[in-house]
């Protein structure tokens, strides 16, 4: 069975399942902008797509996106004009639409053949946008990981598992059920382990766990449902 590995500056994730996508593009959205150096590292070797205001984060990091997607209501006019002037392909949409810019970007990335996506600029902004993105990525036609230098979220689906080695110790590790029930949840390597537990979506209690010293690695597996594996460094 093949092993998938996924690297971020603050962690390495390993799995035999698509929960750890080997080949990812990078979508930069319009929430809290990632730190420029982190974004430069995350962009290395990945096809970069700017999603509206995420264009400003790309420009601050000195990165040129392969394309720009959005309705132009949050990117600065100067950044949008520069993208036009330098010939970056733009998928422009009207502000009055059903899908969010991030949902449109996920669809376009999938249509372009992107097998998986690392999304950044998705935390720290409006809660409704973050909630929409979290659930949209859970149901997206391509596998997703959400991350910046402060937070990261992986998705486990039926029968999948993940092993995460932390290069920097997280403040907290939380398990977030993204279906009515997440069944057969096991987590080891943490202070409060679980074995074959059922986690209800409407009563999320498996939050604020921590690594069990001196370990820097923990393992999570899931039998049925969709589960978010969330890590935060500092206050997020």
């Amino acid at each position: 069975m093949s092993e998938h590995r996924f690297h971020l500056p603050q962690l390495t994730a390993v799995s035999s399942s698509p929960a750890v996508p080997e080949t990812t593009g990078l979508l930069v959205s319009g929430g809290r902008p990632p730190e420029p150096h982190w974004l430069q590292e995350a962009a290395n070797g990945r096809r970069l797509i700017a999603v509206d205001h995420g264009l400003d984060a790309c420009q601050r990091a000195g990165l040129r996106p392969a394309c720009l997607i959005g309705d132009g209501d949050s990117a600065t006019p100067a950044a949008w004009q520069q993208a036009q002037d330098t010939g970056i392909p733009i998928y422009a949409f009207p502000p009055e639409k059903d899908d969010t810019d991030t949902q449109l970007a996920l669809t376009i990335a999938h249509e372009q053949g992107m097998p998986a996506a690392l999304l950044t600029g998705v935390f720290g902004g409006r809660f409704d946008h973050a909630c929409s993105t979290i659930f949209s990525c859970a149901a997206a036609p391509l596998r997703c990981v959400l991350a910046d230098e402060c937070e990261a979220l992986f998705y486990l689906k039926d029968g999948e598992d993940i092993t995460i080695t932390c290069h920097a110790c997280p403040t907290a590790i939380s398990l977030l059920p993204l279906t009515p029930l997440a069944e057969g949840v096991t987590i080891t390597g943490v202070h409060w382990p679980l074995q074959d537990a059922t986690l209800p979506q409407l009563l999320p209690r498996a939050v604020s766990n921590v690594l069990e010293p001196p370990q820097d690695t923990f393992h999570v597996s899931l039998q049925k449902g969709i589960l978010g594996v969330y890590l935060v460094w500092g206050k997020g």
Side-chain angles (χ1 to χ4, degrees):
M1 185 176 295
S2 62
E3 181 181 85
H4 302 270
R5 302 182 69 86
F6 180 91
H7 296 281
L8 291 173
Q10 67 267 47
L11 63 82
T12 298
V14 179
S15 178
S16 59
S17 76
V20 174
E22 285 187 297
T23 304
T24 60
L26 175 59
L27 275 59
V28 184
S29 196
R32 180 183 65 220
E35 190 274 328
H37 182 68
W38 184 94
L39 182 56
Q40 290 166 359
E41 285 195 49
N44 187 29
R46 293 184 168 114
R47 176 177 169 82
L48 177 62
I49 295 177
V51 185
D52 212 323
H53 185 45
L55 176 64
D56 294 271
C58 293
Q59 291 188 353
R60 280 193 296 272
L63 298 171
R64 175 185 169 88
C67 66
L68 167 62
I69 299 169
D71 54 26
D73 68 347
S74 58
T76 60
W80 193 277
Q81 186 63 52
Q82 183 179 353
Q84 290 180 318
D85 293 344
T86 56
I88 293 173
I90 299 176
Y91 295 79
F93 295 88
E96 295 183 1
K97 60 187 186 304
D98 293 330
D99 289 348
T100 67
D101 289 337
T102 299
Q103 288 168 337
L104 290 168
L106 289 168
T107 299
I108 291 170
H110 177 64
E111 291 173 347
Q112 291 181 349
M114 191 177 288
L118 167 61
L119 285 81
T120 192
V122 296
F123 298 113
R126 281 174 43 179
F127 173 78
D128 56 342
H129 285 179
C131 185
S132 171
T133 297
I134 288 168
F135 281 94
S136 296
C137 288
L142 68 170
R143 295 305 297 254
C144 298
V145 176
L146 279 54
D148 62 13
E149 71 276 11
C150 298
E151 300 174 80
L153 177 67
F154 291 85
Y155 294 89
L156 295 186
K157 300 184 179 181
D158 299 335
E160 295 182 346
D161 67 276
I162 191 169
T163 298
I164 297 177
T165 298
C166 301
H167 310 315
C169 185
T171 307
I173 299 164
S174 297
L175 303 180
L176 307 175
L178 299 174
T179 45
L181 293 175
E183 301 178 51
V185 177
T186 296
I187 180 169
T188 59
V190 292
H191 187 66
W192 293 282
L194 293 173
Q195 179 67 43
D196 198 25
T198 296
L199 303 181
Q201 186 179 44
L202 295 182
L203 192 60
R205 295 178 294 188
V207 299
S208 295
N209 214 330
V210 292
L211 291 170
E212 182 68 7
Q215 299 186 77
D216 60 2
T217 298
F218 68 98
H219 178 81
V220 185
S221 61
L222 170 73
Q223 292 181 10
K224 185 177 180 180
I226 302 177
L227 181 70
V229 181
Y230 171 82
L231 302 90
V232 61
W233 291 263
K235 295 182 179 180

